[in-house]
C-alpha cells in the first residue's frame, strides 16, 4: 500500500459521476481539481453540493475549479475522464498529462481506451466502470440515489500499482470498489445491460420498468443481450450462462430507472451511440457475426438522434 | 361485361381513400352511400370536396351519408371497407351484408380477409390495394396528391365477375385498375414497401426521404424487405429478384412522403401494426423463419404506440 502514489487528481467532464467520485477521492485526502463547463460559476462559488443516500449530504470544494485541463498548474497523478463518450478528450487533456499521470476512463461502452493509449503510450490507461444512480439535479447539485460500485482495471488487462492505490483511496471512504485484472471482460458484462436498455429507453422515451412491462420488449432486450454474449465470446470473453436472465431479473427489481441515454435525449445532448452500440457491431462484423438487433437499434438511433 | 352487376355501393370507414374511390365509383354511375364518423355533419351538408391532381376538383355527394352501416335501407351490391386495420368491421357491417353483397377490403397488410371470410362464407371477399397518395386535409376535404392505382382480386385467389365489374367501373372513369387473380401475391408485393417505411417513419417521426438519407436506415429498410421476400417465398410467393432495389430506387425518386402510419401517430390514432408487421411475424414463425428486424420493429412499435 502506497497511499502517497495519489496526491492529486483532475476530474475532466465533471457531471454527476465525476463530481460524486471526485468528492469521495477528496474525502480520501486527495487534492482534487475539476474541469467544469456549464456549472463553472456556481461550482467556483459554492463547490458541489452532494446529496448521497449512503455518504450523506456534504459540500465538495475542489482544490481548483478549471474551465480547461490546460489551466492546471502541476501534472496530476491521475486524470479521471468522466465525460460522455460522444467525443474524444485526448486533445483537451493532453496539456495536463505528465510523464507519470494515469488516465482513468470512467465511461460506458467499448472501444474507448485505444485512442488514449495511442496518444499516451507511456501512461497507464485505466478503464473504469461506475454502477451508480446519480443525477445532476441542478447546477452544482448532485443527487446520489442508489448503488455506487466502481470497477477499475489497467487497460487492456493486468495489474498496476496506481489502480491498487485508487482502490485503497475509495475503499478507505467506503466506496464499494474492486480492481479488475481484465477490465474488458467487465466492460462486456456491463454492456449486457447498457446495450438493450440505453437505446430502447431513448427510442421509446420510457423507463426500464415500462420497457419490461411489454413482453415483446423483454424479448427484444434478451435478443440484444444474446448478441452481446455471442460477440463477447468471439473476443474471448465467455460470460456466465445466466447473465441474461440475471440482468433481466435485476432490472425488474430495480426502481423505475431513466437511463443516461434517455436523459441525454431529453436534454437534447448527444448520445453515447457509438461506444454502446456501433463499436460492438464493428467487432461483430470483424468476426463475421451477424447482429441484426444491434444493427436495427443502431440505425434507428442514428436516424433519430444524430 | 355486365355493368348492372354493381348499382349500389357502401363505403365503410370513409377517410381519404374511401372518399376518393367512392367518388370515382359515383362518377361511374354507381349509387354510393358512405358511413362517415367524425366528419358526419360536414359531409351530410356539403358532401366531400375532392381535389385531385388528375381527376380534377369536384364535389362528391353520396346517395346517403350514414353513421352506421345498419342504417342502410337495401343491401348494397358491394361494401368497401376502407378503414384502418386496427379493428375488425365484421360486426359493424353485418347488418348491411346481403346474400349477394361483395365485400372489398381496401386495406394494407396481411391476414385481413380470413375473419371476413369466416363471418360471411357465402359472400365474395375481395382483397384490394390502393397505391395512392391521398390525405384528408380538413373535414370533408380530400386532397389526392399523387398516384392512384387500384388492384382488386378475389380472396384467396381466382377470378370473379364482380371484380371484373368493379374494374370496368373504375377503368371507365380513368382510375388505373387491374384485376389480380392472385391478390395475396399483390399484398406481399405491397408489403415490401409498407413493412419498412410505415414503421420506420412512425418510430423516427420522419418522411421517406429523411429515412433514406441515412445509409444505416437504407440498409435496415433493405434488411426488412429481405425478410418479407423470404417469408413470402415460404408461403409460395416468389417475388421478383430486383424487388428490393426497385422499391428503394422508386422511393428515392418519390416526393418526400409521410406514411399513413406516421400520420396516424401524429394524430394520436391507433396504428396498423398488426396487419403490417405482427401478422407477418406469425407467418414467419409458422414456417420456422427468423425475422429479427421485423420482430425488433414490432416490439418498438408495440412499446411506443400501443
Amino acid at each position: 500500500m502506497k497511499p502517497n502514489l495519489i496526491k492529486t487528481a483532475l476530474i475532466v467532464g465533471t457531471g454527476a459521476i465525476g463530481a460524486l467520485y471526485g468528492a469521495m477521492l477528496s474525502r480520501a485526502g486527495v487534492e482534487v481539481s475539476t474541469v467544469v463547463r456549464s456549472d463553472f460559476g456556481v461550482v467556483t462559488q459554492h463547490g458541489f453540493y452532494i446529496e448521497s443516500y449512503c455518504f450523506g449530504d456534504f459540500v465538495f470544494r475542489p482544490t481548483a475549479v478549471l474551465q480547461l485541463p490546460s489551466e492546471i498548474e502541476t501534472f496530476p497523478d491521475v486524470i479521471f475522464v468522466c465525460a460522455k463518450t460522444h467525443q474524444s478528450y485526448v486533445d483537451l487533456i493532453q496539456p495536463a498529462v505528465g510523464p507519470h499521470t494515469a488516465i482513468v476512463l470512467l465511461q460506458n461502452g467499448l472501444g474507448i481506451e485505444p485512442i488514449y493509449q495511442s496518444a499516451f503510450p507511456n501512461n497507464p490507461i485505466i478503464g473504469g466502470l461506475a454502477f451508480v444512480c446519480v443525477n445532476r439535479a441542478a447546477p452544482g447539485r448532485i443527487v446520489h440515489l442508489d448503488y455506487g460500485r466502481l470497477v477499475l482495471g489497467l487497460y487492456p488487462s493486468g495489474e498496476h500499482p496506481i489502480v491498487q492505490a485508487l482502490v485503497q483511496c475509495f475503499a478507505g471512504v467506503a466506496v464499494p470498489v474492486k480492481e479488475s485484472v481484465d477490465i474488458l471482460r467487465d466492460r462486456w458484462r456491463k454492456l449486457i445491460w447498457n446495450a438493450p436498455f440505453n437505446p430502447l429507453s431513448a427510442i421509446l422515451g420510457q423507463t426500464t420498468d415500462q420497457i419490461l412491462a411489454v413482453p415483446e420488449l423483454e424479448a427484444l432486450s434478451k435478443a440484444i443481450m444474446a448478441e452481446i454474449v455471442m460477440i463477447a465470446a468471439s473476443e474471448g470473453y465467455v460470460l456466465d450462462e445466466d447473465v441474461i436472465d440475471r440482468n433481466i431479473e435485476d432490472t425488474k427489481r430495480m426502481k423505475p430507472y431513466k437511463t443516461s441515454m434517455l436523459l441525454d435525449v431529453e436534454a437534447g445532448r448527444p448520445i453515447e451511440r457509438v461506444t454502446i452500440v456501433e463499436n460492438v457491431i464493428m467487432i461483430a462484423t470483424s468476426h463475421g457475426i451477424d447482429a441484426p438487433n444491434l444493427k436495427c437499434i443502431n440505425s434507428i438511433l442514428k436516424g433519430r438522434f444524430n
Side-chain angles (χ1 to χ4, degrees), chain A:
Chain A
M1 170 172 166
K2 299 183 189 172
N4 63 347
L5 266 182
I6 306 171
K7 287 186 176 135
T8 58
L10 175 67
I11 314 286
V12 176
T14 318
I17 285 183
L20 177 66
Y21 291 107
M24 298 312 287
L25 267 190
S26 165
R27 190 180 274 191
V30 177
E31 284 185 17
V32 179
S33 298
T34 59
V35 175
V36 180
R37 213 179 33 179
S38 48
D39 298 352
F40 181 77
V42 172
V43 174
T44 302
Q45 278 208 295
H46 305 290
F48 290 95
Y49 190 77
I50 314 269
E51 291 178 44
S52 167
Y53 81 101
C54 63
F55 303 126
D57 296 2
F58 62 102
V59 174
F60 158 46
R61 289 201 172 271
T63 304
V65 180
L66 313 174
Q67 289 184 296
L68 285 172
S70 56
E71 296 164 10
I72 200 151
E73 290 178 7
T74 54
F75 296 133
D77 297 322
V78 189
I79 294 177
F80 279 77
V81 178
C82 301
K84 290 295 166 70
T85 59
H86 63 274
Q87 67 170 98
S88 152
Y89 282 77
V90 163
D91 292 344
L92 212 65
I93 66 171
Q94 199 275 327
V97 178
H100 305 293
T101 302
I103 300 166
V104 180
L105 303 165
L106 195 55
Q107 296 176 306
N108 273 326
L110 277 172
I112 292 165
E113 294 91 349
I115 50 164
Y116 292 88
Q117 196 182 43
S118 56
F120 310 108
N122 301 314
N123 295 71
I125 305 296
I126 297 164
L129 295 167
F131 298 80
V132 63
C133 293
V134 59
N135 296 323
R136 170 185 169 281
R141 191 165 149 255
I142 307 299
V143 181
H144 177 204
L145 296 160
D146 210 351
Y147 304 99
R149 194 163 63 91
L150 273 186
V151 175
L152 301 170
L154 183 70
Y155 176 83
S157 66
E159 301 185 346
H160 196 284
I162 198 98
V163 177
Q164 287 146 21
L166 281 169
V167 166
Q168 285 183 335
C169 281
F170 284 116
V173 291
V175 173
V177 60
K178 84 158 198 189
E179 176 177 15
S180 168
V181 295
D182 199 0
I183 188 67
L184 289 178
R185 172 179 299 275
D186 291 284
R187 286 212 177 276
W188 280 107
R189 285 167 65 184
K190 190 168 189 198
L191 197 67
I192 288 278
W193 193 93
N194 281 329
F197 291 115
N198 268 292
L200 289 178
S201 66
I203 292 168
L204 298 162
Q206 293 176 353
T207 50
T208 48
D209 56 312
Q210 293 176 298
I211 294 170
L212 290 179
V214 178
E216 285 86 350
L217 287 173
E218 178 173 335
L220 176 57
S221 303
K222 285 179 171 176
I224 294 170
M225 289 177 177
E227 290 179 357
I228 300 292
V229 167
M230 196 163 56
I231 301 164
S234 77
E235 287 271 288
Y237 301 103
V238 178
L239 305 181
D240 294 346
E241 245 177 66
D242 64 344
V243 69
I244 294 177
D245 289 340
R246 204 156 26 86
N247 268 278
I248 295 286
E249 293 315 313
D250 287 353
T251 308
K252 285 184 176 169
R253 274 196 303 270
M254 268 167 56
K255 299 171 199 162
Y257 186 63
K258 229 177 221 197
T259 69
S260 59
M261 196 178 279
L262 175 53
L263 291 171
D264 287 340
V265 163
E266 290 182 344
R269 293 187 295 254
I271 60 170
E272 301 191 296
R273 181 182 60 80
V274 171
T275 56
I276 290 179
V277 190
E278 192 165 279
N279 285 352
V280 188
I281 295 172
M282 285 173 62
I283 295 169
T285 304
S286 75
H287 290 287
I289 293 172
D290 194 23
N293 289 292
L294 284 166
K295 280 188 200 159
C296 184
I297 292 291
N298 187 52
S299 304
I300 291 171
L301 287 178
K302 186 161 185 196
R304 183 121 179 261
F305 301 118
N306 255 31

